[in-house]
Amino acid sequence: MVPDPSSVSRRTVLATLGGGAAVLAGGTAVVGVTEPTALPDSITDAATTHYPTPPEVDALWRPPVTEAHAREAVETLAETVAESRRRWAEMDSVGDDAAPITTDAGGWLEDAREALDEADHDTALFRARYGLQFAGEALGYARAEQDAVDRATLRDRAAVLTDRARAVADDLKPYPTTDPARDLGWYVRIEGEVQSASALAARALPDDADSGQNADSGGESDASADAVDPEVAGEVTAALLRGEVDAMTAERYRDTLFDRLGSDTGPHAEALRAAAERFRADLREYPSRDDVRDRYVGEVDEYGPWEFAHSRLARWCLGSTAPVPWRTPIDTDLLALRTVALSIGVARRRAHGTAVDRLVVEPDDTAFDSGHTLAAKRRAQATYESVVGSAPEPLLVTQIGRAVEDLQVAEVGFGGGRDRPMWRERLEAYLYALVGRAKLEAFPPLRDAILDPD
């Protein structure tokens, strides 16, 4: 019986790894490609949870949030909670099981204020925006119950939000840069906020079916026809509040970037457009997920490590469409965001071929040795250190997020049941490390193609 990895102490793991340094120095000591490694699974399972992993991507770089920026978001949340509490106190009962589970922010306002007091402005902004989901739903529901909101008002507010987002997007053209590797990272983050604000504005336009009214009820008054179902009003109000914070964030980031650009800049729009077209052409050359599954898996009676590995790799790396941002009313001009999204799609597909080439699984395998998982994680960490390092350029940071997450979750969990055998836990962790490393290797040339597509 394999010991529970949690019962193996960190000191034991490190001591064993220290004694087996010669074994791990070259990867894993094997007789053949998929033969067991020198260390027992109980040790290598636990070692995968102790081996160093990359920090969160936002710890590498993100646009700074000022105190004024964070405070405005926190004050918006506080005002929303105050109005929601007042309106709910005025109502004895809504008599509806669909009422929100909380009439305030569910504790997020207090958390946001605490972060603000500690000068952790990034966290304060995040918590305030998150809390607006709960507080906004409660406020919108209460307003609808009190007939204090209508469809026309929501439409007008969504239109204003869309205009704010569009104005920021227009201001970014033609993507002037002083240092493209730095400045393009800013443009991607700004356009991410623009895209979110625009998408939330689009969601905040209720259909006739959502209003709770009969579209053919010709005898109703204008006021009745323009009423909004309380649950819909809650969802729309929350979307608008979060979208307005995103628009504010996009505006603040834009202003900060433009202050840093100076006067000696050059446009980068055409380079972005050329890179995007090249990436689109590359994506068309790769097989689909179903094609790869048919090639490596097909119809099988036994679903073992070979089938599991190729199914996971196909699902994680391939697809039927390019991974471009969701459509929004203004998404056609979000060129920096779209180009980076396409580059990520190319990296995923290139990673598939690399991972398949390096895969240490054979068609007749029935188990998987986690020594391979530890070795793959070690190689992936080394690749991270060489490609990313401690101070990566902002543009690269916007590309590597999912690859870093792959490395962070490459740990052997606790299986052992019929539906989750240990070989599956070990193999899945191995595949995350394998794919994450392959993506990281793919990004430098893709970054360079964005910087200089010629």
Side-chain angles (χ1 to χ4, degrees):
M1 183 176 69
V2 177
D4 184 339
S6 63
S7 67
V8 183
S9 71
R10 176 180 174 85
R11 178 174 297 181
T12 299
V13 169
L14 296 179
T16 305
L17 292 181
V23 174
L24 294 176
T28 56
V30 296
V31 176
V33 175
T34 60
E35 289 297 316
T37 56
L39 297 175
D41 282 325
S42 59
I43 296 298
T44 49
D45 283 350
T48 65
T49 68
H50 295 300
Y51 200 85
T53 57
E56 296 295 327
V57 171
D58 278 349
L60 300 173
W61 174 81
R62 59 183 172 186
V65 176
T66 64
E67 179 183 357
H69 182 178
R71 188 173 298 281
E72 185 171 346
V74 174
E75 289 174 352
T76 297
L77 177 58
E79 292 166 2
T80 303
V81 168
E83 182 182 348
S84 176
R85 286 174 173 167
R86 175 179 62 79
R87 290 186 179 276
W88 280 92
E90 293 170 355
M91 297 185 294
D92 293 333
S93 174
V94 298
D96 192 335
D97 292 338
I101 61 174
T102 178
T103 59
D104 55 25
W108 287 96
L109 175 58
E110 292 76 15
D111 292 345
R113 283 172 167 164
E114 180 182 356
L116 193 62
D117 290 342
E118 295 173 353
D120 187 352
H121 303 140
D122 296 284
T123 300
L125 174 63
F126 169 82
R127 290 173 175 174
R129 185 188 183 279
Y130 199 89
L132 283 169
Q133 177 64 42
F134 303 100
E137 287 181 357
L139 175 58
Y141 197 106
R143 283 176 174 173
E145 284 290 331
Q146 295 182 325
D147 296 325
V149 66
D150 56 39
R151 291 167 58 80
T153 300
L154 295 175
R155 286 195 196 96
D156 290 346
R157 189 170 170 185
V160 170
L161 176 56
T162 298
D163 288 343
R164 284 181 68 184
R166 181 180 290 111
V168 175
D170 290 343
D171 286 345
L172 305 184
K173 311 301 183 296
Y175 300 95
T177 62
T178 302
D179 178 357
R182 178 199 66 188
D183 302 336
L184 291 175
W186 278 83
Y187 283 119
V188 172
R189 289 296 182 95
I190 296 167
E191 288 189 337
E193 299 293 337
V194 166
Q195 181 206 26
S196 180
S198 178
L200 288 166
R203 285 174 52 188
L205 295 171
D207 298 327
D208 287 338
D210 291 334
S211 70
Q213 304 297 326
N214 187 336
D216 297 323
S217 56
E220 292 185 83
S221 67
D222 291 343
S224 176
D226 209 34
V228 187
D229 176 80
E231 187 172 355
V232 173
E235 294 173 358
V236 170
T237 301
L240 287 168
L241 285 164
R242 290 187 296 134
E244 287 160 358
V245 170
D246 293 341
M248 175 189 68
T249 297
E251 292 162 352
R252 296 296 180 95
Y253 288 169
R254 172 204 59 195
D255 295 344
T256 301
L257 172 61
F258 286 0
D259 286 344
R260 297 183 179 195
L261 284 179
S263 57
D264 186 16
T265 63
H268 210 84
E270 290 306 313
L272 286 169
R273 193 168 288 109
E277 289 305 314
R278 179 182 297 181
F279 297 153
R280 286 192 183 94
D282 286 347
L283 287 169
R284 289 192 288 268
E285 300 300 318
Y286 288 90
S288 71
R289 180 183 306 164
D290 291 340
D291 290 340
V292 169
R293 281 181 53 85
D294 289 343
R295 175 183 176 185
Y296 289 105
V297 180
E299 298 294 332
V300 295
D301 296 328
E302 295 292 332
Y303 195 79
W306 173 265
E307 292 78 17
F308 179 84
H310 283 286
S311 294
R312 280 291 190 273
L313 291 176
R315 191 175 79 186
W316 292 347
C317 299
L318 303 174
S320 59
T321 58
V324 297
W326 292 106
R327 290 193 60 80
T328 72
I330 59 172
D331 72 342
T332 54
D333 291 325
L334 301 182
L335 187 55
L337 182 65
R338 183 173 298 276
T339 302
V340 165
L342 289 165
S343 78
I344 293 170
V346 175
R348 286 172 50 200
R349 285 154 176 78
R350 290 182 182 178
H352 180 268
T354 301
V356 168
D357 289 342
R358 292 172 177 169
L359 191 64
V360 293
V361 179
E362 298 296 339
D364 58 350
D365 284 347
T366 59
F368 190 79
D369 172 33
S370 66
H372 296 305
T373 306
L374 181 59
K377 189 165 185 176
R378 178 184 60 80
R379 296 188 185 103
Q381 181 65 18
T383 299
Y384 172 87
E385 291 170 357
S386 64
V387 170
V388 180
S390 60
E393 301 152 330
L395 176 59
L396 182 62
V397 173
T398 65
Q399 295 176 294
I400 63 172
R402 184 49 204 255
V404 169
E405 290 176 3
D406 291 337
L407 270 58
Q408 290 172 335
V409 299
E411 298 179 355
V412 177
F414 303 101
R418 179 178 178 181
D419 296 332
R420 197 73 181 175
M422 281 306 303
W423 68 256
R424 183 168 171 170
E425 294 288 342
R426 292 163 182 150
L427 179 52
E428 186 168 64
Y430 164 80
L431 293 172
Y432 274 123
L434 192 69
V435 166
R437 177 191 175 200
K439 289 176 186 175
L440 289 174
E441 291 173 334
F443 279 124
L446 295 172
R447 172 205 55 201
D448 293 344
I450 295 173
L451 296 176
D452 185 8
D454 295 332

